[in-house]
Amino acid sequence: MTDHATATHPATPASGTVASGTEASDTSALGTVATPGDPTSGHAPVPLRSPPLGQPAEQVRDRLVRGAQTAVLLVGVAVQLTSCLPQLIANHDRFGPWWTELVAFVMLACVAVAIAAGVVHPRPMPRALAFALCGVCVAAAALASMPIPAELLLVADDWSFGIAGWYILALLLPMRMRTIAVFFACHALVTVAEVLFKGVPERHITVQMGMVSVSVFGLEIAVALLAVVLHHTASDAGEAARREERTRTAEEIAEATHRDHQARYARLLDTTVPLLTGLAYGALDPGDERVRRRAAIETARMRQLFAETDDVSDPLLHELRAGIDVAERQGVSVQLAVRGEVRPVPQPVRQELVAPAAAVLASARSTARATVVRTPAAVRVSVVADAPAEIAAAVDTERRSRTEITTTTTNGKLWVEAVWRTKSP
Amino acid sequence: MADEITVTVVDDHPAMLVGIEQWYAAAPEPLRVAASGATSKTAWLPPGDAADVVVFDLQLAGQTTPAFGELRRLVDAGRNVIVYTMRDDEQTALTCLDLGAVTFLTKTEGADHLVSATLAAARDRPYTPPALAGALSANTSSDRPKLSIREEEVLVEWFQSESRDLVAQRLNLSPKTVTTYLDRVRLKYANAGRPARSKAALVARAIQDGLISVDDL
């Protein structure tokens, strides 16, 4: 590499460029922004907070849902203690086997305790458990109404009808409206089956039953609809929180970018300005191959500066740029193209992605094209250069655990591509 | 000179105009700059209004924002517009394609791409230069056309290497097949989003050429 540098270009005094390119040691998303070879911002890294993406929305929703669940549970417990319990006692000795009602009451009380435990527990209740408890509610309601004659079903004497619905609602509140409706329908069907089995009572009693069930279900479904509104509010609130976090990150990035840009524009003064003045005063001959080469390099350098928006703030590109700097110092004109949004890449992966690219860039003879492509499925760093084919072998033997590498050589061109796949295609 | 392709160049840098004329003079088929100027007026007034292709710089002097409005008007008038710009970001590329530009070239892409793109544009054939391929492969918008895994691979490798031969070698395809994949992707985009005459013409021509069949739509 040193041979190369002295052979093709008067060696430039080495600055901290190479060293700082590999020194970033953080593992966070936006990590640190160290500015290589720049004495003004030096090596003081600018810490950037990595936002816990997606978390706020979940947290907000969880809190809101738990609150609503507690409210519905309290309604259920209140109904069970103030309305169901007196009726249960009153029903003693009225309709034959009283124990079924007693067992059902205890079952429902157990469900209430389980819901309370679920609300307090930090992790949300598993869906399967919630469904099982809903089944218990429906079964308890059926069990409690077993001894009650058909004409008294659904009215005050049949205390279990309404209470089961409240507990089902408390259990299923975090889920979709459709799920809640399905369980309510189950509950209603079981009751209808019971009425049919015991013999359909007189018409005015049937109508009364219908009215009772409509008012009971109506109230419960209204509460369920409120929960749906709550879900929407939660996601809106989460989105707002995320947006705010993004804005804050973007501000910090912009600040770091600005500093870096200023430093790099300042560096143009040392290289571009002498070239331009030389050309303007006729001291340099545009026909001279060496002058044209210098112009090509300066152009590439300036293009990179113009093309950059906030790309510089991501460590991956920053480390790749250190490699590009090395190549440029050796007189190689490097074209850099970047596509896709900045996304977090852990430091060890970054190292594996950048190292082969830097190796190829360092041994390029005159031109190189470096690219970075970031999609949700993969991060790719690639370099095509007129570098000797032996480099491919050297790059291939490097140990790697997180990335894949592909090398291709054709007509004196070497192409090395390192891919970090985050999702199978 | 019935087969000569005429071009209107809208660019505010005189050096660019001279360069483009030079490149066209060396093209394998007759290409001639019929008119050139610093504003899009050139493309609306004779002789620029009758040219087969418009090469259009998005960033014209005195304007701070890209000239998407001008591009849209030219496309709506049925012109074949090649956007030729300093801008290298994918959003600009995708916006231009959606507005109906036949292709999107960055000024870092040299003579070969401009000449090939101009020839393709004059004949309503697709041409996808590497910078555009990169933009398409990084497109994450929800309404992006569905691409096959192979098409995605070809797009990203073409963007990275800028060489059909390298892509062909890496993916075990012939260079011609690489082009076919790129063209198919371009046609999927022509078939999506805002309707434009240029998009319809691309699709119609591709059906004539047998590149896609009516069933593919």
Side-chain angles (χ1 to χ4, degrees), chain A residues 303 306 335 337-341 369 371 373 375-376 380 382 384 406-410 415 417, chain B residues 86 88 90 107-108 130-131 134-135 137-138 140 149 156-157 159-162 166-167 169-170:
Chain A
R303 276 231 171 84
F306 298 152
Q335 197 196 349
V338 183
R339 292 291 183 276
E341 274 182 42
R369 172 176 170 84
T371 57
V373 180
T375 60
R380 297 156 184 271
S382 139
V384 184
T406 325
T407 54
T408 311
T409 43
T410 306
W415 178 17
E417 181 191 11
Chain B
M86 273 286 288
D88 192 29
E90 60 238 37
K107 284 185 178 167
T108 48
S137 68
T140 50
I149 293 173
V156 75
E157 308 290 19
F159 166 66
Q160 290 177 335
S161 69
E162 289 191 321
L166 280 173
V167 178
Q169 193 185 337
R170 175 157 298 183

Side-chain angles (χ1 to χ4, degrees), chain A residues 76 168 172 318 417 424:
Chain A
I168 290 175
L172 300 184
H318 206 74
E417 181 191 11
S424 52

Side-chain angles (χ1 to χ4, degrees), chain B residues 5 13 21 34 76 81 86 114 139 152 162 173 189 197:
Chain B
I5 295 167
H13 293 110
E21 276 174 355
D76 287 347
V81 185
M86 273 286 288
L114 183 65
N139 182 8
E152 300 268 12
E162 289 191 321
L173 301 168
Y189 272 86
R197 191 213 68 89

Side-chain angles (χ1 to χ4, degrees), chain B residues 110-135:
Chain B
D112 292 348
H113 289 296
L114 183 65
V115 169
S116 306
T118 311
L119 293 174
R123 301 189 174 121
D124 293 325
R125 289 209 167 97
Y127 186 78
T128 310
L132 178 60

